[in-house]
Amino acid sequence: MKFFLKKDIEEILERSQKQLDILNGKKILLAGSKGFLGRYFNEIIKATNRINKSNISITAVDNFISSSVKSTEDDESDKNINFVEGDICENSFVKKFRNFDYIIHAAGIASPFYYRSKPLETVDVSVIGSRNLLELSKKSKSRFIFFSSSEIYGDPDPEKIPIQESYRGNVSTIGPRACYDESKRLGETLCHIYNRYHGIHTNIIRPFNIYGPGMQEHDYRVMPNFASKIKLEENLKLYGSANQTRTFCYITDAIDGFLRVITSGSPGEPYNIGNPKPEITINQLADIFIKIASNKSSKDLIEYPDSYPADEPMRRCPDIKKARLQLDFHPAVDLEDGIQRFLSWTNKYYKGE
């Protein structure tokens, strides 16, 4: 349970029992199984197989391109989870697989720090990887779920916030974030094509700032950055004006929403999964961390580091009406509670480096 809080796993099992019952007896291919979200899927399936006597099997795939922990020991305790190291961008690798009920494409290079240093690999996993897995889905007649990103909306028109799935986005094709944003958009287009022209049941998930235990300390995103400084009792580094706003969704809410899309999403449809409130500035987020930590940490405003891509969206807030009405998705963990849980885990496992 190194990557999780026991309380969180129990909470997900309780909230998602209906969805897990739908998956009972099914075979799943999970790409990106060693990422932040992939580890949770594995853990939840292991837990329901053990506690609820379910029979869900996972073929878990990863190539460790952005993982700092190259370990498979967390898969070895369940005979229904088979880890296979490999690259979904290699057609010869994907062709080895067959006969799945669900294919979940959660592989990707999501951290701006990493996709700035690996732009072609970032494009490949969302485009070539998606095409390979969609071909496999066509042969298997399986459901296909693509993990896109809220970044496909770019820097939205303020009048379009909160952002609905119908918003077409404001994204630069040649900007510093284009390798990630545009490849996710093209991955969504591939899902649309395979749904419309090949009859594949595809769904697109657009996560909004998911956080929680299991995030790598050197992920270089705001939540682990702040938690690492809290561990050291050093000042939190805030980039630019720190007036950019975000909403944040705790991992238990997110996994509940993901499972609802996976099992009950309407064919061909995208879904925002996140928490629409509160929309707060990064400066306000830092204040919450400092309040909960009650230590010597304070705040420092600094310039954006060279390693961080420019053109950061100023606002990000989802409209989740579609997921609420169609899937009965209701985030339940408020921000302070979520940060408290996150810090209880990072204070144990982060090194403060």
Side-chain angles (χ1 to χ4, degrees):
M1 297 288 284
K2 177 181 178 181
F3 297 99
F4 321 98
L5 292 177
K6 182 180 178 183
K7 172 186 176 182
D8 289 346
I9 301 302
E10 292 172 347
E11 184 176 311
I12 295 168
L13 286 177
E14 181 178 353
R15 292 174 60 181
S16 304
Q17 191 56 59
K18 178 181 177 182
Q19 288 70 43
L20 293 169
D21 286 344
I22 293 172
L23 295 177
N24 192 18
K26 300 296 190 291
K27 295 181 179 180
I28 300 170
L29 176 66
L30 173 62
S33 67
K34 295 303 177 183
F36 171 47
L37 303 181
R39 289 186 185 276
Y40 271 90
F41 280 119
N42 280 344
E43 188 65 22
I44 293 303
I45 297 307
K46 284 197 301 181
T48 194
N49 282 347
R50 182 180 68 253
I51 297 170
N52 299 321
K53 309 302 180 184
S54 300
N55 183 30
I56 307 169
S57 66
I58 289 185
T59 297
V61 176
D62 209 301
N63 65 355
F64 297 102
I65 193 170
S66 60
S67 176
S68 64
V69 183
K70 189 170 182 178
S71 171
T72 62
E73 63 183 21
D74 50 328
D75 294 332
E76 295 171 357
S77 61
D78 190 325
K79 61 181 176 58
N80 283 3
I81 296 181
N82 175 39
F83 177 76
V84 183
E85 183 174 355
D87 188 348
I88 60 169
C89 298
E90 296 178 3
N91 190 37
S92 59
F93 173 71
V94 175
K95 279 186 173 180
K96 298 175 183 178
F97 302 116
R98 55 179 54 84
N99 299 329
F100 293 99
D101 299 296
Y102 293 83
I103 294 176
I104 302 173
H105 184 1
I109 302 175
S111 167
F113 176 85
Y114 288 109
Y115 65 64
R116 187 175 186 271
S117 64
K118 296 180 183 295
L120 291 177
E121 293 88 342
T122 300
V123 170
D124 286 348
V125 72
S126 289
V127 179
I128 299 174
S130 295
R131 180 74 185 275
N132 286 340
L133 292 179
L134 280 161
E135 281 294 317
L136 177 59
S137 183
K138 185 170 70 171
K139 293 176 183 176
S140 299
K141 295 182 172 54
S142 59
R143 283 193 181 220
F144 183 87
I145 297 89
F146 176 59
F147 274 80
S148 183
S149 170
S150 61
E151 294 293 328
I152 64 103
Y153 296 117
D155 196 6
D157 182 338
E159 294 184 359
K160 300 297 184 179
I161 296 174
I163 306 168
Q164 295 181 346
E165 287 88 347
S166 59
Y167 180 60
R168 296 183 178 182
N170 176 29
V171 181
S172 170
T173 61
I174 56 173
R177 297 169 178 267
C179 65
Y180 184 72
D181 301 355
E182 288 296 291
S183 64
K184 287 294 189 182
R185 288 166 69 92
L186 186 50
E188 292 196 8
T189 301
L190 288 168
C191 290
H192 169 72
I193 291 170
Y194 275 79
N195 170 251
R196 182 171 182 179
Y197 294 97
H198 298 292
I200 304 303
H201 185 131
T202 61
N203 281 120
I204 296 161
I205 294 175
R206 296 170 181 166
F208 277 73
N209 296 94
I210 311 305
Y211 75 100
M215 297 187 83
Q216 296 181 42
E217 184 169 5
H218 297 132
D219 189 67
Y220 300 101
R221 284 185 277 190
V222 65
M223 286 288 192
N225 280 355
F226 282 0
S228 184
K229 293 300 182 183
I230 291 291
K231 172 82 172 185
L232 286 171
E233 297 195 16
E234 292 183 352
N235 288 353
L236 280 56
K237 308 296 183 184
L238 283 63
Y239 299 161
S241 67
N243 288 326
Q244 60 271 41
T245 69
R246 298 291 184 269
T247 66
F248 297 91
C249 182
Y250 190 66
I251 188 66
T252 55
D253 286 331
I255 296 295
D256 175 53
F258 299 157
L259 287 169
R260 290 171 187 270
V261 177
I262 290 167
T263 57
S264 305
S266 296
E269 291 297 312
Y271 292 90
N272 291 336
I273 297 297
N275 195 332
K277 60 183 181 180
E279 183 185 4
I280 62 171
T281 67
I282 299 304
N283 192 41
Q284 291 171 319
L285 178 68
D287 289 337
I288 295 173
F289 268 83
I290 292 167
K291 171 187 170 183
I292 292 173
S294 299
N295 63 15
K296 299 176 182 178
S297 297
S298 186
K299 300 181 292 186
D300 288 331
L301 283 174
I302 63 172
E303 294 295 323
Y304 283 93
D306 292 339
S307 60
Y308 195 82
D311 206 22
E312 182 178 27
M314 283 305 297
R315 293 181 69 186
R316 179 75 76 239
C317 177
D319 185 319
I320 62 167
K321 184 185 300 180
K322 184 176 179 179
R324 187 174 68 247
L325 293 177
Q326 294 186 14
L327 307 174
D328 198 26
F329 170 59
H330 299 276
V333 180
D334 69 40
L335 185 59
E336 289 202 16
D337 181 18
I339 292 174
Q340 180 69 62
R341 297 192 208 184
F342 182 47
L343 287 177
S344 73
W345 180 83
T346 59
N347 284 335
K348 183 176 181 180
Y349 289 108
Y350 276 16
K351 297 179 181 179
E353 297 175 345

